[in-house]
Amino acid sequence: MGMIKQSRVGPKFSFATSVVTAALMLTILMLSASQRANALPAFARKYGLRCSACHESWPMLNYFGQKFKDNGYQLMNDRDAPIWQNPGYWPVTFRITPIWHRVSTGKVDIDTYSGGVLSGSAIQRVTSSGFDLSGLDFHTGGTLEKNFSFYVLPSSDPTASFHFETVMARLDNLFGSSWLNVKLGKFELDNLLSEKRILTLTANGGIYQLYHFIPAGDGNIFGQMGDNQLGVEVLGHSYDDRTRYSAALLSSNDGQVELSYGNAYTGFVTFSQAFDTGKAGVQRIGAYAMVGEAPTTWLTTGGALFTGANGTGPAAIGNKSFSREGFVGQFYFGQHADLTVVTQHGQDSAWFGQGYGDLIDGIVTNNNTTGTVLPAGSQAPTWNGVLFEPHYVYSPQLIFIGRYETIRMSQQADGPGSAVPSASNLGNISTYTIGYRYNPFMTSRAGFAWHNEYNWLHSDGTGPNGANINTSELLLGFDFDF
Amino acid sequence: MRRTLRKWSPFIAAAAVFALAPALSAQLTQYDLEPRSGMESHIGNITGHAKDAKADYRRFCVGCHGELGDGNGENFPWLDPKPRDFQLGIFKCRSTPTGTLPTDEDLSNTLARGLDRSNMPQWSNLTKQQRADLVAWVKHFSPRWVSEKPGTPIQIPAEPEVTPERIKAGRDVFAKVQCWKCHGVEGKADGPSAATLTDDQGRPILAFNFTEGARPKCGSTDQDLYKIFMTGLDGTPMPSFADNIKPDEAWDLVFYLKALEPQKSKEKAIAKQLGLKPVDPNAPPPSGQ
């Protein structure tokens, strides 16, 4: 069944040997539209605002843009309803990025030949470079009527094969209160540091590792805060948007349609408060928590996976729990410099740690059937991570970006009591990204950026024979939307 | 003859553009503005500096108000009403008498509130400092701020208790000073003059419709309403009635305006109870006048 096919976005360190292939796949996937942002010249055109009014640097929002979004894509004046638009106006924006990039992956097990005959294998670095494309994003969004808004984003990979990245409808200012808004559908979680509005584009630097981290060998794909999720969200904010909250109830299926993972739910809550600190600007601090359950047991029929009936996917039970929580800070230092910090403490049930949970490519790799017991010494994998992202905004048209992320395991799935205990640093990652984006012009009609970026990622023990892997990517390109 | 004229019309148009070019270049330039870039604003204990707003102005405002503050940003052709030309130094929302400059605080409040029924957004989540800096920057576009001081804010007496008598008296004021000529007898912006109103630039402008639940541009509190008709919206046909309406009567009128608005209010409830009728333009002036 087609829908079981995983769009595995985010690094997955579950199978050490497949990490390299995964990295290459990721390059393609990350460059595909699924990670791309919601920058809408359609909105700029509607209200007569320049991109820079809402975007610190397109596509990342500033506080004005955040408030606009929080109000359901409304400026909260009488021009919000679509009736104000010329009937010929269509709220549509396309985004695509032609690029040149060079991807270099360390420690790949490559076959060696002698006299034209396979003679063994050797570990080596693999490097590819050339011209390439991102996928195409087809953003449409706006108001259907005052306080009724929508967002639909069909998004393609670089071969123009489409999926729905975002589909949601919103009701805003219920009972006349900015504290009560509801959205339903598939949407980005209320991450203050939005991955869909990330300023970087490389495979590993174009996502926040913290939002997709999965310990080595772990089968929990459901805790990826960076992926758009299916669910319902209640959100609200004070009039000036200084205080914000959101609470979402999500299906534990990583945004995949047709009930492909049974009956499990996840909650995601956020809260943040901003402070006016005079000359320095607005400082915001907040916290988030994701707590959920996901299945580990797959029903089988005739010994094979039960693939579903009446348009639903496989049926699953045996829910186990997981959690991610942390703090977020957005600090401004005057008009040009800012720093965002995100922390995370994460934990998966020991079952996920042993590879139960995900249904990889429709194949039950591990199935928690009646009587299954965990291997001796199994523990709940636990980790801590932190992300620092400084920006220097020279002007609305030129931004310099840096990022450093590190994630450290504090408890491995295979604990000291296991037959083969894991090294304490297995699956740790560190990555840094630097880059800049230059917009040669700034109008209310279209966006265009010259983009240049370098990313380097190190992961511990996930290569062949437990080797560490270093991956790097250099990328140049034109990122535009219209 | 006609035909030849039409044939030549592109050339005539081109010639007109050339003829106009010197006139256009006679407009203010960045160079003329430079000496005023030291402009300050003072709001409470915050001092705004024009220079510090340069980046924010480019980020947020320039697409409408233009590099030179003349309202000629790239969105000018598409907007109605048109973005304000700051070089004129004329502002709608003031606590100061008609014809005078607004206070810095007036301008900062306007930024935070935005101007409803126009594309001017609310800038309420900029910091107070950013707004103060932007106010100073807005001021630096007009020489008026060098040659004149802002007016003295009008005195607003304490708000009295709402009574049925006051609401009735307010209706009489509405009739007497002829608000209805523009705003209509029921406040629906359909008075006899409504269709022909233009602003100082000669652009058609609509009077305010009280019955739609719209937010007045210059604020919706009782004090704001008082200020609106006692100071006028400069640059528009909405005059100041400071010379025609006494302060106590002004409060009566505020209460009557609130009774016209659709929002639930004490005034509305009382007016309903009274069975208050719209003013009759043909009726003799109320007794005692």
Side-chain angles (χ1 to χ4, degrees):
Chain A
M1 292 196 62
M3 85 274 163
I4 306 171
K5 210 172 137 270
Q6 301 273 323
S7 69
R8 176 106 23 79
V9 273
K12 169 136 174 141
F13 297 94
S14 27
F15 307 96
T17 45
S18 68
V19 153
V20 173
T21 341
L24 286 172
M25 288 287 292
L26 279 172
T27 308
I28 297 160
L29 277 170
M30 288 315 116
L31 288 167
S32 84
S34 57
Q35 292 300 326
R36 312 310 286 286
N38 312 334
L40 272 201
F43 292 153
R45 286 194 297 268
K46 173 172 174 180
Y47 289 101
L49 288 166
R50 283 190 173 180
C51 310
S52 61
C54 287
H55 299 281
E56 171 158 330
S57 173
W58 168 63
M60 181 190 173
L61 293 179
N62 61 25
Y63 35 82
F64 185 78
Q66 182 70 48
K67 185 181 171 206
F68 174 72
K69 179 175 176 242
D70 289 344
N71 279 318
Y73 313 110
Q74 301 186 103
L75 285 180
M76 298 314 289
N77 59 27
D78 67 330
R79 303 284 151 110
D80 292 327
I83 195 75
W84 273 96
Q85 296 311 310
N86 178 318
Y89 169 88
W90 222 44
V92 174
T93 296
F94 296 87
R95 180 183 182 192
I96 193 161
T97 311
I99 55 170
W100 177 92
H101 61 152
R102 173 185 180 277
V103 183
S104 174
T105 311
K107 311 244 172 72
V108 193
D109 202 1
I110 298 289
D111 290 345
T112 51
Y113 293 85
S114 162
V117 183
L118 185 61
S119 62
S121 74
I123 291 175
Q124 67 174 79
R125 175 166 283 275
V126 176
T127 301
S128 310
S129 78
F131 298 96
D132 208 348
L133 282 183
S134 72
L136 173 69
D137 277 0
F138 199 154
H139 298 261
T140 95
T143 51
L144 300 163
E145 175 52 73
K146 179 92 183 167
N147 291 331
F148 290 82
S149 52
F150 73 100
Y151 209 111
V152 176
L153 168 55
S155 180
S156 85
D157 67 8
T159 65
S161 139
F162 274 87
H163 69 282
F164 285 114
E165 181 62 17
T166 303
V167 176
M168 60 101 165
R170 273 185 69 140
L171 306 182
D172 294 294
N173 300 297
L174 296 173
F175 307 109
S177 167
S178 63
W179 293 103
L180 199 54
N181 309 275
V182 177
K183 68 170 111 159
L184 175 75
K186 181 175 177 183
F187 47 81
E188 182 181 19
L189 298 182
D190 184 29
N191 294 315
L192 267 185
L193 182 64
S194 159
E195 187 177 276
K196 302 295 159 186
R197 299 171 186 285
I198 201 163
L199 289 168
T200 45
L201 302 173
T202 52
N204 288 316
I207 59 166
Y208 297 122
Q209 300 292 331
L210 219 54
Y211 289 3
H212 296 278
F213 184 70
I214 298 172
D218 193 290
N220 178 12
I221 60 156
F222 311 100
Q224 299 188 67
M225 296 158 47
D227 288 343
N228 285 1
Q229 305 287 349
L230 280 157
V232 58
E233 183 179 273
V234 177
L235 63 166
H237 57 92
S238 57
Y239 171 72
D240 58 7
D241 213 35
R242 295 278 198 260
T243 311
R244 305 176 71 253
Y245 83 90
S246 69
L249 179 67
L250 311 164
S251 271
S252 303
N253 52 19
D254 201 33
Q256 290 169 71
V257 292
E258 297 183 313
L259 303 179
S260 43
Y261 284 94
N263 298 298
Y265 293 91
T266 300
F268 185 79
V269 292
T270 66
F271 176 83
S272 71
Q273 176 68 46
F275 304 93
D276 182 343
T277 54
K279 289 251 179 228
V282 180
Q283 320 297 336
R284 189 180 281 279
I285 51 172
Y288 67 87
M290 181 182 214
V291 180
E293 289 197 324
T296 56
T297 306
W298 301 96
L299 303 192
T300 56
T301 171
L305 177 73
F306 170 70
T307 52
N310 290 323
T312 67
I317 50 176
N319 292 343
K320 301 295 173 195
S321 64
F322 61 91
S323 66
R324 315 273 182 270
E325 57 273 322
F327 296 99
V328 187
Q330 283 180 324
F331 308 109
Y332 285 80
F333 307 96
Q335 293 189 343
H336 294 292
D338 63 84
L339 171 69
T340 301
V341 182
V342 184
T343 70
Q344 182 172 102
H345 175 74
Q347 183 165 60
D348 280 351
S349 135
W351 287 92
F352 294 126
Q354 293 301 328
Y356 292 86
D358 187 16
L359 190 63
I360 295 138
D361 294 326
I363 301 158
V364 191
T365 37
N366 281 332
N367 201 354
N368 178 14
T369 47
T370 312
T372 306
V373 285
L374 286 171
S378 298
Q379 347 175 83
T382 309
W383 63 91
N384 295 299
V386 64
L387 174 162
F388 297 96
E389 178 158 333
H391 299 141
Y392 183 80
V393 186
Y394 175 79
S395 78
Q397 285 166 252
L398 176 61
I399 185 168
F400 297 90
I401 307 139
R403 187 183 314 125
Y404 173 71
E405 278 184 89
T406 184
I407 302 167
R408 315 258 134 168
M409 296 301 298
S410 57
Q411 181 165 297
Q412 296 285 3
D414 292 320
S418 307
V420 189
S422 297
S424 64
N425 67 349
L426 173 67
N428 286 359
I429 54 178
S430 297
T431 177
Y432 71 80
T433 309
I434 50 170
Y436 67 88
R437 282 169 76 79
Y438 172 62
N439 299 263
F441 60 86
M442 185 66 51
T443 68
S444 320
R445 296 288 180 270
F448 180 94
W450 161 245
H451 185 102
N452 196 347
E453 175 188 336
Y454 177 78
N455 168 268
W456 179 88
L457 183 134
H458 172 92
S459 83
D460 282 320
T462 51
N465 311 322
N468 300 342
I469 305 182
N470 291 331
T471 312
S472 68
E473 182 173 352
L474 176 67
L475 183 148
L476 321 163
F478 292 143
D479 191 4
F480 63 98
D481 70 343
F482 53 96
Chain B
M1 176 65 201
R2 266 248 171 108
R3 280 188 65 176
T4 46
L5 199 67
R6 196 175 296 163
K7 200 165 136 198
W8 286 100
S9 59
F11 297 96
I12 294 168
V17 168
F18 276 113
L20 270 172
L24 287 175
S25 65
Q27 266 198 343
L28 233 50
T29 64
Q30 210 77 57
Y31 184 74
D32 301 311
L33 295 174
E34 190 51 36
R36 293 202 294 272
S37 62
M39 188 74 75
E40 288 187 354
S41 71
H42 299 276
I43 300 157
N45 52 9
I46 296 176
T47 303
H49 301 277
K51 278 199 176 110
D52 292 345
K54 214 170 166 173
D56 275 346
Y57 184 80
R58 283 197 61 209
R59 178 179 280 283
F60 297 117
C61 323
V62 86
C64 294
H65 292 287
E67 287 291 348
L68 298 173
D70 55 4
N72 231 331
E74 75 242 12
N75 289 302
F76 173 89
W78 320 112
L79 303 184
D80 178 28
K82 297 296 177 195
R84 188 60 42 78
D85 177 351
F86 297 139
Q87 294 184 7
L88 301 174
I90 295 174
F91 296 92
K92 289 187 179 177
C93 302
R94 289 165 294 98
S95 60
T96 62
T98 181
T100 64
L101 291 171
T103 65
D104 294 347
E105 193 160 6
D106 287 341
L107 289 173
S108 175
N109 290 343
T110 304
L111 292 189
R113 193 176 50 234
L115 295 169
D116 218 40
R117 289 166 293 117
S118 93
N119 282 62
M120 166 75 179
Q122 296 163 13
W123 301 103
S124 58
N125 67 345
L126 302 188
T127 65
K128 292 197 178 94
Q129 181 68 49
Q130 280 176 300
R131 283 206 296 272
D133 295 338
L134 282 164
V135 165
W137 185 256
V138 165
K139 284 162 58 175
H140 105 291
F141 288 116
S142 167
R144 268 193 86 184
W145 296 94
V146 180
S147 56
E148 291 173 47
K149 288 214 156 5
T152 311
I154 61 162
Q155 292 292 321
I156 304 180
E159 181 169 349
E161 193 67 33
V162 189
T163 60
E165 290 68 41
R166 280 192 174 274
I167 294 176
K168 272 193 275 186
R171 192 188 66 157
D172 294 343
V173 180
F174 194 83
K176 183 184 73 173
V177 300
Q178 300 186 329
C179 306
W180 55 269
K181 279 222 160 140
C182 302
H183 291 283
V185 289
E186 293 171 279
K188 289 187 173 161
D190 55 358
S193 311
T196 54
L197 296 173
T198 57
D199 68 10
D200 286 6
Q201 258 83 37
R203 299 180 188 122
I205 186 169
L206 298 171
F208 184 70
N209 183 337
F210 289 93
T211 63
E212 282 181 322
R215 282 196 302 260
K217 293 182 200 256
C218 302
S220 19
T221 66
D222 296 359
Q223 276 72 16
D224 290 331
L225 287 175
Y226 187 107
K227 256 185 281 189
I228 286 168
F229 60 81
M230 294 300 262
T231 68
L233 266 58
D234 285 2
T236 82
M238 172 64 205
S240 159
F241 290 85
D243 298 336
N244 315 68
I245 301 177
K246 293 199 238 2
D248 201 47
E249 286 179 332
W251 275 119
D252 298 346
L253 182 53
V254 167
F255 297 146
Y256 180 65
L257 298 180
K258 292 191 69 186
L260 293 175
E261 291 176 351
Q263 292 91 329
K264 268 210 184 106
S265 67
K266 207 171 165 187
E267 290 83 355
K268 190 143 190 81
I270 296 176
K272 203 169 164 199
Q273 225 169 22
L274 288 174
L276 207 62
K277 296 252 154 16
V279 300
D280 176 1
N282 303 316
S287 58
Q289 299 290 316

